[in-house]
Amino acid sequence: MSASLELIRQQEAQLLVSTYDRVPVLFERGEGVHLFDCDGRRYVDFLSGIGVNALGHGHPAISAAITAQAGRLIHVSNLFYHEHQARLAAKLAALSGLDRAFFCNSGTEAWECALKLARAYARSAKKNGAKPKAKLLVMDNSFHGRTLGSLATTGNKKYRAPFAPMLPGVTFVRFNDVADLEAKFDDSVCAIGLETVQGEGGVLPASREFLTRARVLTRESGALLLLDEIQCGLGRTGAMFAYQHYGVTPDVVTVAKPLAAGLPLGAVLATHDVAAAFKPGMHGTTFGGGPLACAAAIAFLGELAKPEMLEHIRETGAYFKEQLLALKARHAEIVDVRGMGLMLAAELRSAEQAKSTVAAALTRGGDGYVINRTHDTVLRFLPPYIIAREHVDGLIAVLDDLLSGGNANA
Ligand SMILES: *Cc1c(COP(=O)(O)O)cnc(C)c1O
């Protein structure tokens, strides 16, 4: 380990709240799909900072937008107007089929806002004298973020338990189990909330039947369908929004990770009717939707709107998935391959094997490969949208070697 990394490691161990178990790599710069560490070693990025750097590193359109805006205006607060929020909202509305946007700074904040919107909408829609609907139906194995509301709706006891008691009125449904959804749905439900493709839970797409049923149940009863596309939205799956693969439109969708191509920005998109449940003063944020992040997001959506971009994601994703399936056919250690577009996963037989594969891909000789393990046994791939077949071939060769027991000192 280099001396500068070792020093930073020691300082962080003394000075930071110990929430992260970091991988011992000190990245210094990035270029396209590559990252470089403090020793000048090159890595191919198959994670994009957990789905954030969707155009890779140092993309000229993003750098130019950030540089220009940083010199003009970085922050004004939401007390005033600036030129970018309405422009960005218009683009997001056109892409999503929804009408209005609220901007915040992160995924969990976007989901918090969606939950608040569901409760407020139910209250505003209730008949005189009736009790407002308040029950939230959310999914086992889901992930919505770390703040208390999002955490209360996250279907993983390990994350919730240390912080109990949780927000009341939350019921968990088995993901993709239509009978369980129907059994738990009733008139007191104000919203069904789910990730269209579960990300942290191991890259599990909602089934067509399940998502369609959730849409019908909510529509019939006046409850809302909230979709969390913080990880799977904005091109990741080869559609602008993952729900577009299903022909379903939610009442509310949340986006964040890739939205500002690396700067923190989240958004909640809702129909006019639902958005009207919030009146001035009911919700807000100091930083959310600032000029700098919005300028970056407009540049990002400009790139994403180029017709070849989604096509490239679909084609490269399909090629990548084929290669993973071929790898599965050669290695019994891989028990499943799944995902859509450039949100893919290979589930391994054991957690140890997944852990050692991720570590070895990173530290082997030659280019390192940055991949990630989620849900213990799942290798997750969230490469930048600009990844090419040759990079996929490189990764597949490394995985092939590692799964054959090679230490891959190529
Ligand atoms: C990452 C993620 C979140 C939380 O986003 P943060 O920006 O880390 O708060 C919420 N939902 C999903 C589906 C995510 O992938």
Side-chain angles (χ1 to χ4, degrees):
M1 193 180 299
S2 82
S4 45
L5 172 55
E6 188 48 42
L7 182 63
I8 287 176
R9 237 158 84 114
Q10 284 172 15
Q11 289 173 334
E12 285 204 359
Q14 304 263 321
L15 294 166
L16 298 192
V17 176
S18 51
T19 47
Y20 302 111
D21 185 13
R22 295 198 210 280
V23 177
V25 175
L26 176 58
F27 286 125
E28 279 187 348
R29 68 188 180 87
E31 203 180 303
V33 301
H34 293 116
L35 281 161
F36 297 86
D37 73 11
C38 59
D39 299 320
R41 194 161 171 253
R42 193 172 82 157
Y43 301 78
V44 189
D45 187 359
F46 269 85
L47 185 60
S48 14
I50 322 184
V52 169
N53 301 303
L55 297 179
H57 303 276
H59 191 284
I62 301 300
S63 306
I66 292 175
T67 308
Q69 188 60 42
R72 282 160 58 93
L73 192 63
I74 292 176
H75 175 79
V76 292
S77 87
N78 283 301
L79 295 175
F80 302 99
Y81 292 95
H82 68 74
E83 60 191 310
H84 299 316
Q85 272 194 25
R87 273 180 68 205
L88 180 55
K91 283 179 187 285
L92 288 169
L95 297 173
S96 65
L98 295 168
D99 304 312
R100 289 175 182 264
F102 174 82
F103 293 108
C104 54
N105 309 282
S106 65
T108 197
E109 275 178 84
W111 191 247
E112 289 285 334
C113 174
L115 298 175
K116 286 177 73 175
L117 204 44
R119 289 271 173 89
Y121 178 76
R123 201 163 276 272
S124 70
K126 84 177 169 75
K127 309 268 182 303
N128 270 345
K131 240 177 110 189
K133 299 170 187 278
K135 184 155 122 186
L136 296 158
L137 283 192
V138 292
M139 303 301 135
D140 278 346
N141 198 50
S142 62
F143 184 84
H144 297 294
R146 306 290 195 154
T147 54
L148 274 167
S150 296
L151 190 64
T153 57
T154 285
N156 182 331
K157 283 204 189 78
K158 182 180 79 180
Y159 292 147
R160 295 196 309 267
F163 308 105
M166 290 284 121
L167 179 75
V170 174
T171 300
F172 288 95
V173 170
R174 279 193 297 279
F175 186 53
N176 282 342
D177 184 333
V178 173
D180 197 39
L181 178 69
E182 287 174 344
K184 287 170 179 163
F185 191 86
D186 61 35
D187 247 5
S188 70
V189 170
C190 68
I192 298 177
L194 67 148
E195 295 156 89
T196 317
V197 183
Q198 289 192 337
E200 305 303 303
V203 186
L204 294 159
S207 69
R208 190 166 292 276
E209 193 195 358
F210 190 78
L211 190 58
T212 308
R213 193 71 193 122
R215 180 65 285 184
V216 170
L217 287 171
T218 46
R219 189 150 277 154
E220 284 174 357
S221 78
L224 302 183
L225 178 64
L226 318 176
L227 292 181
D228 180 345
E229 297 221 359
I230 289 164
Q231 190 165 145
C232 65
L234 300 176
R236 174 60 62 189
T237 65
M240 208 49 88
F241 287 85
Y243 57 75
Q244 291 163 346
H245 292 290
Y246 297 78
V248 161
T249 304
D251 301 292
V252 177
V253 63
T254 55
V255 289
K257 286 183 165 92
L259 178 56
L263 289 183
L265 183 65
V268 182
L269 309 175
T271 61
H272 283 303
D273 181 39
V274 172
F278 274 177
K279 306 286 181 249
M282 279 173 70
H283 194 59
T285 160
T286 300
F287 288 110
L292 188 65
C294 285
I298 289 167
F300 169 62
L301 294 181
E303 293 301 306
L304 194 58
K306 293 183 175 166
E308 65 274 18
M309 184 63 95
L310 282 183
E311 190 55 35
H312 175 80
I313 293 169
R314 282 195 290 268
E315 269 179 17
T316 314
Y319 176 75
F320 191 176
K321 193 168 181 182
E322 262 169 44
Q323 300 307 305
L324 287 170
L325 285 166
L327 200 62
K328 176 175 179 283
R330 294 197 290 279
H331 299 280
E333 293 87 341
I334 302 181
V335 296
D336 194 25
V337 166
R338 53 181 182 255
M340 303 152 94
L342 288 171
M343 182 173 185
L344 295 171
E347 182 170 348
L348 301 192
R349 212 175 274 289
S350 79
E352 290 75 66
Q353 192 154 39
K355 193 172 180 180
S356 66
T357 303
V358 170
L362 192 75
T363 58
R364 62 185 284 282
D367 281 345
Y369 281 80
V370 180
I371 59 174
N372 158 258
R373 180 175 69 124
T374 188
H375 210 251
D376 293 340
T377 54
V378 180
L379 304 181
R380 176 174 48 172
F381 311 105
L382 296 170
Y385 300 169
I386 57 172
I387 204 88
R389 283 182 179 218
E390 68 197 79
H391 307 117
V392 172
D393 291 341
L395 173 68
I396 295 292
V398 167
L399 292 177
D400 206 3
D401 191 31
L402 291 173
L403 292 170
S404 307
N407 213 337
N409 275 313

